[in-house]
Amino acid sequence: MMQAVFNILGLALMVLGSGLLLVAAWGVNTLPDALSRQHAATLAGTLGVFSICIGAALLQADWSWTWKLGLIITFLLLTMPVASHMLARAAVAQMDDE
């Protein structure tokens, strides 16, 4: 019974994550300026990959998968804000030069 609940929740999170990644890709292609595109890619992309990893962890009952996915999530949560900040600073500096 619990495995069925984990399967349904895991699939739902993976579908949600896939949808968020599609929204991030759409935002990168359609938003007008660099800061808006960077914001869409970082925010929706991080949440999308986070949801996919949590969904995959729920679908896999093996702990070896779970801790690896946890490492991926930790790495993303530590690096994506820094990368986003660096891109935003570069975009603002380029706007000031023009």
Side-chain angles (χ1 to χ4, degrees), residues 50 53-76:
F50 182 78
C53 286
I54 295 295
L58 288 175
L59 288 174
Q60 295 295 325
D62 189 14
W63 280 101
S64 65
W65 277 95
T66 304
W67 76 269
K68 290 174 188 173
L69 290 167
L71 285 175
I72 292 171
I73 290 170
T74 302
F75 180 74
L76 281 174

Side-chain angles (χ1 to χ4, degrees), residues 10-64:
L11 287 173
L13 283 171
M14 291 189 80
V15 168
L16 174 70
S18 300
L20 286 169
L21 287 175
L22 284 173
V23 168
W26 176 74
V28 168
N29 286 327
T30 59
L31 290 172
D33 61 340
L35 291 176
S36 299
R37 289 191 299 266
Q38 167 260 330
H39 180 72
T42 303
L43 191 61
T46 302
L47 189 58
V49 172
F50 182 78
S51 296
I52 288 173
C53 286
I54 295 295
L58 288 175
L59 288 174
Q60 295 295 325
D62 189 14
W63 280 101
S64 65

